[in-house]
Structures are given as structure tokens and as C-alpha cells.
Amino acid sequence: MEQEPRPPRLRIRIVFGEAEMIGPGKAELLERIDRTGSIAAAGREMGMSYKRAWELVGTLNAMFRDPLVERVRGGPGGGGAVLTETGREVVMQYRAFEHETAEAGASRLAALSDMLRDIPERK
């Protein structure tokens, strides 16, 4: 059974400094934290350790003037995490940049795809 080749896609990483960057992984982590209300659950969904998820959140929080993720202390349901308004804005700006860049570069991606060698599917 032959699969239809996947269209090319962009994976954009915006580098602000040596250790300050945001890309698809960090954006996805923020989106999952927003949905799940938990850094641990978001990391688990991505196959990432709790420690790694916390490190990425720490990096993101340190990059921006205002934190992107805040911890919520325990209560009847336990603690968790919430995406701040700044966090939502950062994700929205990143996803909009991704979308606009993909639209602007669609003809270039198509031209590059047309030049690819045909490679049979490996089994």
C-alpha cells in the first residue's frame, strides 16, 4: 500500500539570544499546559520528563518580562499550572508568525518539493 507523500512543512525556531528561543516544541508545551492545567501532564503527553518540562517552562518564564506560566498551589483538586495572558499572547504571536511564514513561502516550498528525487517507501 503506497502512502501519499506528506507536503513539506516549516518548523520555525525564533532565536532571541544564545539560550533564548521559542520553537514548535515550546509552543506546543505551552498549549498543552493551557489545556491540561498541569506542567507534568503536558510533558507526559509529549513524552517528556517532568524535569525537562519544568526546565523549559523556567527558560520561557525567564525570557519574557512577565511569566508565561504560573504555578497554582494545592487545594481540593491539588495544584497545577496556568498559562498567563502573556503566555497566551506569546503562543498566539508564534502561531501567527508560523502561519504567515508558511503562506508567504508556499511557492518556494512547492518549487523545492518539485526538485526532490523520488524515493520509494522503505519497509
Side-chain angles (χ1 to χ4, degrees), residues 6-57:
R6 288 178 28 170
R9 64 195 199 298
L10 296 175
R11 292 186 47 88
I12 296 172
R13 176 183 295 164
I14 303 169
V15 179
F16 298 103
E18 195 169 313
E20 297 84 20
M21 60 190 75
I22 187 167
K26 287 178 182 171
E28 182 180 350
L29 179 63
L30 291 172
E31 290 167 333
R32 289 177 187 251
I33 290 168
D34 195 31
R35 185 175 48 76
T36 64
S38 165
I39 294 170
R44 254 192 320 275
E45 285 184 1
M46 294 177 71
M48 177 185 306
S49 74
Y50 177 72
K51 180 181 180 201
R52 179 69 178 140
W54 262 106
E55 287 172 351
L56 292 175
V57 166

Side-chain angles (χ1 to χ4, degrees), residues 7-8 10 98-114:
L10 296 175
E98 246 183 352
H99 177 74
E100 291 167 11
T101 303
E103 279 186 347
S107 65
R108 302 284 184 198
L109 287 175
L112 288 167
S113 293
D114 289 344

